[in-house]
């Protein structure tokens, strides 16, 4: 692989409850190795049909607010045609339409350019699959 492109897969255990997992530190650690002091783009991709990537504030309640909003928009009940898995699991397959499975972020001088309160997060409402992968790719 060339110096212009580098990639790594993170294995994340998201647990058995709906969750928002902050991946910012892992993204920054990857960039320290992959980007050096170069400019480029970090792509964060979740290769799952039932998880997404969000750039949000964490630690002040916004992560819980996001899960509450998703629960309101996508209730875990029997309305979903997609019916395998736990009750209401069909809603997990709709999640990536609202919280996309990817984000592309600017990297300047080897550093992730996030706003003051922004974090890169895995959003996972699927309680049936706690083992997730997140692919980080740097293009410089």
């Amino acid at each position: 692989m060339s110096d212009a492109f580098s990639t790594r897969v993170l294995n994340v255990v998201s647990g058995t409850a709906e969750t928002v997992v902050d991946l910012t530190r892992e993204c920054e650690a990857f960039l320290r190795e992959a980007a050096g002091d170069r400019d480029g783009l970090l792509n964060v991709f979740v290769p799952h049909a039932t998880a997404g990537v969000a750039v949000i504030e964490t630690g002040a309640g916004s992560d819980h607010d996001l899960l509450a909003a998703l629960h309101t928009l996508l209730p875990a009940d029997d309305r979903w045609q997609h019916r395998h898995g736990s009750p209401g699991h069909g809603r997990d397959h709709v999640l990536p339409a609202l919280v996309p499975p990817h984000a592309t972020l600017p990297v300047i001088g080897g550093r992730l350019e996030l706003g003051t309160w922004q974090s890169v997060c895995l959003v996972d409402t699927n309680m049936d699959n706690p083992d997730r992968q997140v692919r980080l790719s740097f293009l410089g």
Side-chain angles (χ1 to χ4, degrees):
M1 215 170 276
S2 77
D3 283 346
F5 182 80
S6 187
T7 191
R8 172 179 298 153
V9 175
L10 304 175
N11 292 305
V12 178
V13 178
S14 58
T16 57
E18 298 174 1
T19 192
V20 175
V21 180
D22 190 339
L23 302 173
T24 308
R25 287 186 180 155
E26 290 85 349
C27 292
E28 291 168 340
F30 168 69
L31 289 172
R32 280 192 295 277
E33 294 176 23
D37 62 354
R38 295 178 294 155
D39 296 347
L41 297 172
L42 173 67
N43 182 263
V44 182
F45 176 70
V46 182
H48 298 283
T50 59
V53 175
V55 178
I56 63 168
E57 178 180 5
T58 60
S62 297
D63 38 352
H64 298 291
D65 290 342
L66 173 59
L67 292 174
L70 290 171
H71 194 69
T72 298
L73 292 169
L74 304 172
D77 58 23
D78 64 357
R79 73 182 70 203
W80 308 102
Q81 292 184 32
H82 188 109
R83 294 190 184 271
H84 79 271
S86 61
H89 175 65
R91 63 122 183 197
D92 299 324
H93 288 272
V94 178
L95 173 77
L98 300 175
V99 180
H102 59 87
T104 301
L105 306 163
V107 176
I108 307 297
R111 298 191 55 143
L112 190 55
E113 284 293 302
L114 293 173
T116 302
W117 304 112
Q118 290 180 314
S119 296
V120 180
C121 299
L122 167 70
V123 179
D124 191 356
T125 59
N126 181 358
M127 296 177 283
D128 293 341
N129 183 7
D131 299 312
R132 298 301 189 162
Q133 291 185 333
V134 179
R135 178 170 295 279
L136 305 178
S137 300
F138 173 72
L139 179 62

